[in-house]
Amino acid sequence: MYNIALASDHAGYLLKKEIEQFLLRIGYTVHDFGCPSVESCDYPDYAHPMAAAVEKGEYDCGIAICSTGNGITMTCNHHAGIRAALCWDPSLAELARKHNNANVLGLPANFVDSEEAMKIVHTFLTTPFEGGRHERRIRKIPC
């Protein structure tokens, strides 16, 4: 995965910007779908365009951030080709990739610090899908 889409609401904005800088430093290409600041906004306005772009294959995966991670992850999952996983530690990110072939990482900005978020992101981006029995299960998720 090299081409990453980002989206957040106001609560996730600062963490999103830190993640963007981290990804650029380690060689990823990043596109920020918004939001543009810490001013109050609605996460679906940014989650839908990002998820649609990942769904179309324009990006390898996405990272979506709001205060709890719940709302923005739920919004992304309304797109048939998206498997967004809310992760608050690296082991969840690892399993989301290995077992669910997640293509969007949902992060709870109010519940993870910057250091932990970078570990989660790194794990998500570097863990391959195992396939096998998991592939059968994923095919049962409507697309």
Side-chain angles (χ1 to χ4, degrees):
M1 294 184 197
Y2 300 106
N3 197 11
I4 314 301
L6 301 176
S8 75
D9 69 356
H10 55 283
Y13 175 78
L14 294 176
L15 181 59
K16 178 186 67 176
K17 296 314 275 182
E18 288 183 56
I19 289 169
E20 180 179 26
Q21 291 308 307
F22 169 74
L23 292 172
L24 291 171
R25 272 195 313 276
I26 61 175
Y28 288 92
T29 301
V30 177
H31 180 78
D32 184 353
F33 281 81
C35 78
S37 73
V38 295
E39 287 188 40
S40 184
C41 66
D42 299 331
Y43 54 79
D45 295 342
Y46 306 101
H48 282 304
M50 184 215 60
V54 172
E55 186 176 31
K56 291 177 193 169
E58 296 171 11
Y59 298 90
D60 296 309
C61 71
I63 300 172
I65 311 161
C66 70
S67 61
T68 65
N70 284 311
I72 202 161
T73 301
M74 290 177 192
T75 302
C76 290
N77 278 324
H78 277 273
H79 293 257
I82 297 298
R83 290 173 308 283
L86 175 58
C87 301
W88 55 88
D89 70 33
S91 62
L92 289 169
E94 179 180 7
L95 291 172
R97 288 288 308 132
K98 278 185 175 180
H99 293 183
N100 309 114
N101 200 16
N103 55 6
V104 172
L105 170 63
L107 287 171
N110 290 2
F111 296 89
V112 296
D113 63 27
S114 179
E115 182 179 338
E116 189 71 0
M118 299 316 150
K119 290 177 188 174
I120 296 165
V121 167
H122 183 267
T123 300
F124 185 84
L125 296 176
T126 59
T127 301
F129 177 50
E130 283 183 352
R133 71 185 190 278
H134 306 295
E135 183 67 41
R136 179 183 75 243
R137 295 167 184 159
I138 288 171
R139 281 194 303 257
K140 293 180 180 182
I141 301 171
C143 293

